[in-house]
Amino acid sequence: MPVQDEELPTLGNSLILAQRRLNQTIKKLDRDPHMHKLYSEFLEEYESLGHMQRSPDNCYSPINYYLPHHGVFKSHNNSTKLRVVFDGSAPTTSGRSLNDSLLSGRVQEDVFNIMLRFRKHKIVLTADIK
């Protein structure tokens, strides 16, 4: 992710909050074995795709950012029962979040025109490419 280099030293420590959120998630998963299985499968897939990596227990660097996450479980949803939510807006010890340090691009196209084009057609398709 592109970041503002001058913002990184002021980001603060995210480990404490991430550990607290992880402990809350573990307690929740211990109460629901089905959700625990789905969450474990998601994390294994995420790691196998290279989107995350395990950090050694003794390797806590101030440069690292630990991204808090939790799962949202919807038993009535047939396609995606579990959605894992990553919280880039969680504040660190400095009060700043990862989202505060990310570079944001500008909108290339006028949203109003996009919405008008959607209304012109009877059928509109959208997709999420994996």
Side-chain angles (χ1 to χ4, degrees):
M1 293 184 283
V3 295
Q4 301 172 23
D5 291 334
E6 65 275 1
E7 297 290 329
L8 287 180
T10 63
L11 188 55
N13 188 339
S14 62
L15 179 63
I16 297 165
L17 176 67
Q19 283 179 325
R20 190 177 327 128
R21 295 267 188 96
L22 179 61
N23 290 336
Q24 291 170 347
T25 300
I26 289 171
K27 285 179 186 177
K28 187 176 179 181
L29 294 176
D30 285 343
R31 291 190 300 265
D32 188 344
H34 180 62
M35 186 172 169
H36 188 281
K37 180 179 179 287
L38 291 173
Y39 208 92
S40 296
E41 289 171 354
F42 170 83
L43 292 177
E44 288 171 8
E45 178 186 8
Y46 223 64
E47 187 176 13
S48 70
L49 292 171
H51 298 318
M52 72 175 191
Q53 64 185 13
R54 294 175 191 251
S55 64
D57 290 337
N58 59 355
C59 179
Y60 296 120
S61 168
I63 298 172
N64 290 342
Y65 181 84
Y66 300 91
L67 191 60
H69 56 86
H70 66 278
V72 176
F73 185 71
K74 294 184 179 179
S75 59
H76 62 276
N77 192 342
N78 291 333
S79 62
T80 309
K81 293 188 183 289
L82 175 74
R83 182 173 54 90
V84 177
V85 178
F86 295 93
D87 188 5
S89 63
T92 62
T93 54
S94 69
R96 298 183 48 75
S97 70
L98 178 63
N99 287 354
D100 294 334
S101 299
L102 292 176
L103 292 174
S104 58
R106 45 176 265 244
V107 177
Q108 297 293 332
E109 196 166 349
D110 183 17
V111 177
F112 182 74
N113 287 333
I114 294 171
M115 297 305 289
L116 282 178
R117 277 201 317 261
F118 265 61
R119 295 188 68 183
K120 282 178 25 181
H121 306 286
K122 286 186 179 182
I123 299 173
V124 177
L125 300 176
T126 63
D128 185 11
I129 300 172
K130 184 173 183 180

